[in-house]
Amino acid sequence: MNRFNGMCGHTISDYQRLIEIPGTELAIGSLVEVSDSGVCGDVYGVIRWIGIPPGISKNVLVGIELEDEPSLKNIPLSDGSYNGLRFFTCHQGRAIFVTSDRCKTDRRFTDKDSYHVGNKITNNQEINFGAVACPSISGSVPPLRIHSSDELQKICGKFKGIQGHHNSCYLDATLFSMFTFTSVFDSILYRSPGPKDIRNYRDVQKVLRDEIVNPLRKQLFVRSDSVMKLRELLDQLSSVSGLTCEEKDPEEFLNSLLSQIMRVEPFLKLSSGQDSYFYQLFVDKDEKLTLPTVQQLFEQSFHSSNIKLKEVPSCFIIQMPRFGKSYKMYPRILPSQVLDVTDIIENSPRQCFLCGKLAEYECNECFGSLQVGQVSGLECTAFCQQCLVTFHMHAKRNNHVPTKICIPKDFRIMADHMVVPRVYMELFSVVCIETSHYVAFVKSGSGPDAPWCFFDSMADRKGEQNGYNIPEMTCVPELTQWLSDEGARSINETSPNDKVLPDHAKRIFCDAYMCLYQSTDTMMYH
């Protein structure tokens, strides 16, 4: 019988809650194994709650969510409740409460194994999965900057990136995209808490920065129990449940972290008055498009919704037109390496698509009506006054109703002496999904020649039920060519069947779930 059983008439506030088990390195979020006195072997799980029951000063009680539903004989199972009180929430039969002396660090993460970088075994033949392998790193660590495929190849290999565990791929791929090679999200790591921030703001920020981002940038490896600390905090502090064990989508994680906990200012400020962290493409399928680009779908979506952005965002997260984990509107989509956002910025100076002078009018009804050279889409909706009159003399267009573009006064003065600039954003990551598993392609630097890597937090596995996942980074030198208009057209014409596409090409064209763009001009101010 559990030595704490029989206590009744108490409330949760009667229990002295702790963050860690005194005298150990085990804390909330730690991965542990629990001895069952040899009846059915050890079981594994994550610490969800630690505390001291009322009336007992020496014994510490630990609540653990198990990886699987075991057949335990000596330990009662629950859904996170103990003695009629709820301490956390999980599936029925997946929670146990034991004394702290029965808990120890999950041995699977103190194992050793050899790993490779490229085709060579590194000088460190063995890598430790215990505390030594992934220490907390305080301070400011800048993102990695890689300039060539050869340089990227040297840092790729197994046990690189974020180690996956317990359905964490949605979070692993997103975090790797957000922080490894770019600083566009770094304000989250350093902003001081304000009066409207939650009480645990610094706790979440410290775990994210010191236990995940800094180790990722410093040593290119984050052990899964470090990530579990963040998952545990998000699960407790946000309305998104199941973040420690269930399959989730990247947008659920981003909503929990950015909106509810860190209160990050939304990246997208829409003319409709709404703000958002990401933008879902909503388009009607065009049967003539066999390989649509993100730029084409982006312009169609903004045109049909008749909205604009109030300002250029530092980051633009775009969700592809797919619903659920299986239905895709287009079998293949080409992620545009550069996103032209000029025509969806409210009151931004634009160029007349016919003569190149400063545009003063916009005609949304002209969208898609024609293509002049390389100009099409929203760019074809902007006119100077003279071209507007001339172009709309045609019988098919003389009933169009254009609207006036509000041009900043300072720019109007200089317009005759300068070229109207266009505003571009750079693709830096594509998060992909196939059969509920998320992976990511991430650009290792800025500029058109920066190489790309492929990241999978669960690329391999050691052991079965009680084993651990092995994350892997792979250099993909062909990706820049595949993402070019000519390269994409060539590989799609020569490989009409998805099964004969190169594996990484299939992933980037067929499985894209979310494209992340950054503005190198504005990201430093956010």
Side-chain angles (χ1 to χ4, degrees), residues 270-285:
L270 305 177
S271 59
S272 62
Q274 296 176 308
D275 295 339
S276 181
Y277 295 96
F278 28 79
Y279 181 76
Q280 172 70 63
L281 294 175
F282 288 107
V283 296
D284 293 326
K285 186 172 183 178

Side-chain angles (χ1 to χ4, degrees), residues 339-406:
L339 189 71
D340 187 344
V341 299
T342 310
D343 302 302
I344 56 100
I345 305 299
E346 191 174 48
N347 299 328
S348 175
R350 296 168 64 185
Q351 193 176 39
C352 173
F353 91 97
L354 289 175
C355 69
K357 294 182 180 179
L358 181 65
E360 298 183 70
Y361 292 90
E362 179 180 50
C363 180
N364 283 330
E365 292 169 278
C366 285
F367 179 81
S369 61
L370 80 167
Q371 176 170 334
V372 179
Q374 298 298 315
V375 181
S376 62
L378 288 175
E379 196 171 347
C380 284
T381 65
F383 300 86
C384 68
Q385 184 162 355
Q386 182 177 348
C387 290
L388 176 76
V389 173
T390 303
F391 191 73
H392 285 81
M393 287 180 178
H394 194 284
K396 291 183 177 180
R397 296 186 288 270
N398 60 19
N399 62 343
H400 287 187
V401 182
T403 56
K404 185 85 171 172
I405 296 176
C406 183

Side-chain angles (χ1 to χ4, degrees), residues 291-340:
L291 182 64
T293 66
V294 168
Q295 180 77 48
Q296 289 173 315
L297 300 178
F298 169 81
E299 294 191 8
Q300 287 179 22
S301 183
F302 266 89
H303 175 259
S304 62
S305 62
N306 196 29
I307 60 172
K308 291 184 180 294
L309 296 180
K310 292 183 177 180
E311 61 185 30
V312 180
S314 60
C315 179
F316 211 143
I317 303 176
I318 303 177
Q319 294 173 269
M320 297 300 99
R322 54 185 301 157
F323 307 97
K325 295 179 172 62
S326 55
Y327 174 75
K328 297 184 291 187
M329 178 171 288
Y330 291 98
R332 298 181 184 181
I333 294 176
L334 172 60
S336 303
Q337 293 190 77
V338 173
L339 189 71
D340 187 344

Side-chain angles (χ1 to χ4, degrees), residues 97-131:
F97 287 82
V98 298
T99 52
S100 59
D101 57 349
R102 301 180 75 168
C103 303
K104 58 184 178 180
T105 301
D106 189 334
R107 75 184 76 179
R108 298 172 299 175
F109 297 93
T110 57
D111 198 1
K112 293 183 177 180
D113 198 0
S114 61
Y115 71 108
H116 297 72
V117 175
N119 296 319
K120 298 181 179 179
I121 299 179
T122 63
N123 293 329
N124 289 328
Q125 288 283 343
E126 296 178 325
I127 183 167
N128 191 329
F129 288 93

